[in-house]
Amino acid sequence: MSDLLQKARKFEAEASGHITAEERPAFHLTPLCGWMNDPNGFSYYGGKYHLFYQYNPYHIHWDSMHWGHAVSSDLLRWEYLPAALAPDMPYDCNGCFSGSAIELDDGRQLLVYTGVRQVRDEAKKIRDIQVQCVAFGDGKDYQKYEQNPVIDSTMLPEGASTADFRDPKIWRLSNGKFCCAVASRPSDGSGQILLYTSEDGFKWSYWKVLDANKNRLGKMWECPDFFPLDGKFVLLASPQDMICQKEYSGGNGTVCIIGDFDEKTGKFTEISNQTIDGGIDFYAPQTVLTPDGRRVMIGWMQNWDSCGIREEGSPWAGQMTVPRELFIQNGRLCQKLSKEFFARKKTDVSFSKVIVENERVALNGVKGRVLHLGINLCTDSDSYSWKMRVAENDNFYTELVYRVRENTLTIDRRHSGSRRALRHIQECEILKKSSELSLEVVLDKNSLEVFVNGGEQTMTVAIYTPLEADGISFLADGKIQMDIEKSNLTF
């Protein structure tokens, strides 16, 4: 074990001891200490789910990327393991960036990640050199391969950037070969996803371009994932520098492309594209295939455009979303809460045919910061808007607004307690126009996740509101009928 990895493990063991369970969410993974961003190496190995993450144990801001590590039996209760990787080799001395994991034929777990080192170019500017590397281990301790990097600039197609070449996602083809999708920036300044193959996971060959952005959806595509689902293939990526268009918001966003894939030729034929989440804080999702055949996704519940929301002195920064099962319905990627989540849900109170009009309504027993709400709304021609406030007291609240005539759902966290003028409002156009709207709302201390109409759309936002703000209230402009069920979550 290197000195840098020993240092990180010693530091995190001491620092995490000062963070109480009350300071963390009940069932969303946070870093052991310090900073967290992209989920990495989401996999099932040795009878447990493994989730690694981009990690700076020393501070609550991005720097000197390590890999943090946690395991779980149910995707909700996580046990921290020591840091898995540190930037301790010449080829990754400026960071062990994102990647993935898979089990080898001999039973070892293989980590595939991006190593980063910085150089000065001819203009004396510092730039990254990004290469793909592997490490192998037993589910707790990992050894970097002596012949790293396994994919370097000599294996790039013509015109591809050596500075933007990262985030390998590994899987196996039906013929047993290992395949890896890697994010790349071509000469047009846009993004593309490259494919590499290997017989053993260590010696790799360039195959082809899986898909190219061609400046359609943002610029560089990061953090690809690629998998079969319900008879189609799904490519997930996180574009940088998007402009607002259709259902996509600006800045750093997410894209799902559904299409057909020919394993023999490597040809991917696009059919449709969509955003993955319509909220403020969702990026770099990664999926795992569960032992019972479900495709489950977890994303980073933050956004590069709103990272400053965490203040100095906070015990940690960054968290992951709740696990979401994926399925395709009517040609779109949909998401629902995992069955493990529902096993933890117990109905507390319910109300039917509640009329909400022009006065704010609070319902007996409907309050708290760790809960699930099932809400069905019925509207008519006189209905204009419905509002729900959560994490509410005299000083704070976060608001969910349904504008009936515009058929939009808006998250507004301006009053959640943030001291930064960041992106705090996000509007999402609802796909289906109807007199009824179904919502599932998940609250967990520092987050709000909304599932619309059975998971056709989702909206996610981080809220760092003081926990004493636990009220929930409702208001309507016009008359709206509401059925609501509040469930407690036990852990």
Side-chain angles (χ1 to χ4, degrees):
M1 184 187 304
S2 71
D3 290 343
L4 278 177
L5 186 56
Q6 282 185 316
K7 177 186 175 184
R9 287 185 170 191
K10 181 179 179 181
F11 182 89
E12 67 181 3
E14 181 178 345
S16 63
H18 300 291
I19 305 174
T20 66
E22 289 71 26
E23 293 177 288
R24 298 186 188 272
F27 55 93
H28 288 76
L29 180 65
T30 59
L32 181 52
C33 58
W35 161 276
M36 162 194 283
N37 57 283
D38 308 351
N40 294 162
F42 194 17
S43 53
Y44 189 80
Y45 175 77
K48 290 189 175 182
Y49 294 100
H50 290 249
L51 187 60
F52 304 82
Y53 51 90
Q54 289 288 276
Y55 181 40
N56 177 13
Y58 303 109
H59 302 286
I60 61 163
H61 54 77
W62 187 96
D63 194 15
S64 184
M65 284 294 95
H66 296 57
W67 272 35
H69 190 190
V71 295
S72 175
S73 297
D74 63 1
L75 298 164
L76 295 165
R77 295 170 299 171
W78 293 95
E79 172 193 352
Y80 292 104
L81 294 181
L85 298 176
D88 52 16
M89 299 299 289
Y91 52 79
D92 64 16
C93 58
N94 293 112
C96 297
F97 279 17
S98 292
S100 53
I102 200 168
E103 184 172 353
L104 295 170
D105 291 337
D106 61 11
R108 294 177 297 173
Q109 188 178 35
L110 185 73
L111 309 184
V112 189
Y113 70 98
T114 297
V116 183
R117 65 182 177 94
Q118 293 182 334
V119 299
R120 287 191 181 274
D121 61 19
E122 295 178 354
K124 305 299 183 183
K125 293 182 179 180
I126 295 176
R127 65 183 183 91
D128 287 352
I129 299 295
Q130 299 185 349
V131 293
Q132 314 318 314
C133 312
V134 298
F136 50 87
D138 60 2
K140 181 179 179 182
D141 297 305
Y142 299 88
Q143 176 182 339
K144 293 179 181 178
Y145 185 44
E146 290 182 353
Q147 297 181 44
N148 275 336
V150 295
I151 304 174
D152 62 17
S153 59
T154 65
M155 303 163 69
L156 282 167
E158 184 178 355
S161 168
T162 59
D164 288 305
F165 177 43
R166 55 185 174 268
D167 311 335
K169 177 59 192 282
I170 190 171
W171 75 97
R172 296 191 87 152
L173 299 170
S174 57
N175 63 9
K177 274 190 176 183
F178 294 91
C179 194
C180 196
V182 188
S184 166
R185 187 190 294 273
S187 57
D188 69 359
S190 181
Q192 63 185 0
I193 306 300
L194 307 179
L195 290 184
Y196 293 82
T197 59
S198 171
E199 296 288 346
D200 60 3
F202 293 90
K203 295 181 176 64
W204 291 85
S205 300
Y206 173 69
W207 189 7
K208 65 180 306 175
V209 175
L210 174 68
D211 203 8
N213 181 13
K214 298 179 180 177
N215 285 301
R216 295 172 297 155
L217 300 166
K219 292 292 186 178
M220 174 69 179
W221 284 0
E222 297 191 300
C223 303
D225 199 346
F226 190 62
F227 51 87
L229 183 69
D230 296 337
K232 295 296 179 184
F233 271 78
V234 175
L235 173 63
L236 307 183
S238 294
Q240 297 176 321
D241 306 319
M242 299 188 80
I243 60 172
C244 289
Q245 56 175 311
K246 298 180 181 178
E247 61 186 275
Y248 298 100
S249 57
N252 294 278
T254 57
V255 61
C256 162
I257 298 174
I258 298 174
D260 294 314
F261 179 62
D262 185 332
E263 273 199 358
K264 293 182 179 180
T265 64
K267 183 179 180 181
F268 178 59
T269 304
E270 293 188 14
I271 296 174
S272 64
N273 69 78
Q274 64 181 87
T275 190
I276 304 173
D277 189 278
I280 298 174
D281 293 307
F282 187 91
Y283 198 73
Q286 199 167 97
T287 70
V288 66
L289 186 65
T290 66
D292 59 359
R294 294 170 292 140
R295 180 63 61 172
V296 172
M297 177 180 71
I298 285 179
W300 177 40
M301 199 189 303
Q302 197 64 70
N303 187 295
W304 291 115
D305 294 321
S306 59
C307 287
I309 196 169
R310 266 318 225 175
E311 298 178 22
E312 288 299 325
S314 299
W316 49 266
Q319 58 186 314
M320 298 302 178
T321 67
V322 72
R324 306 172 181 187
E325 293 183 20
L326 303 182
F327 61 101
I328 293 176
Q329 181 174 281
N330 298 324
R332 287 185 63 91
L333 183 75
C334 299
Q335 307 168 47
K336 63 182 179 181
L337 292 162
S338 69
K339 71 175 186 180
E340 291 85 355
F341 179 90
F342 283 102
R344 296 282 167 184
K345 187 171 82 74
K346 183 178 181 181
T347 301
D348 183 28
V349 294
S350 60
F351 299 86
S352 61
K353 298 182 180 179
V354 176
I355 300 298
V356 184
E357 283 191 83
N358 300 314
E359 292 185 1
R360 189 160 293 280
V361 173
L363 300 174
N364 188 34
V366 179
K367 62 184 298 186
R369 291 286 289 274
V370 180
L371 54 85
H372 172 275
L373 296 175
I375 302 170
N376 289 304
L377 302 175
C378 291
T379 63
D380 57 30
S381 58
D382 295 324
S383 305
Y384 183 73
S385 69
W386 170 89
K387 299 178 180 180
M388 177 178 72
R389 289 181 177 178
V390 301
E392 180 184 29
N393 64 9
D394 291 340
N395 299 310
F396 306 110
Y397 62 86
T398 292
E399 198 162 54
L400 188 65
V401 182
Y402 171 40
R403 292 184 173 86
V404 180
R405 297 174 188 179
E406 290 88 347
N407 199 38
T408 61
L409 197 63
T410 301
I411 283 177
D412 183 346
R413 66 169 178 198
R414 287 175 297 174
H415 301 279
S416 66
S418 172
R419 298 180 185 274
R420 297 289 176 266
L422 302 167
R423 181 173 160 201
H424 291 314
I425 301 176
Q426 183 62 45
E427 180 182 272
C428 176
E429 184 176 352
I430 300 168
L431 293 174
K432 183 168 57 179
K433 182 101 174 152
S434 173
S435 61
E436 296 186 4
L437 178 67
S438 170
L439 302 173
E440 282 189 272
V441 177
V442 178
L443 273 169
D444 185 8
K445 294 185 183 178
N446 307 114
S447 62
L448 170 67
E449 293 169 90
V450 183
F451 296 75
V452 183
N453 288 332
E456 285 183 345
Q457 294 165 281
T458 61
M459 300 185 75
T460 303
V461 66
I463 53 170
Y464 297 108
T465 308
L467 294 181
E468 58 265 25
D470 65 353
I472 298 175
S473 65
F474 308 90
L475 179 68
D477 184 352
K479 182 185 292 186
I480 293 180
Q481 180 178 290
M482 178 176 71
D483 297 333
I484 182 168
E485 177 184 277
K486 177 236 176 177
S487 299
N488 294 324
L489 303 170
T490 57
F491 293 93

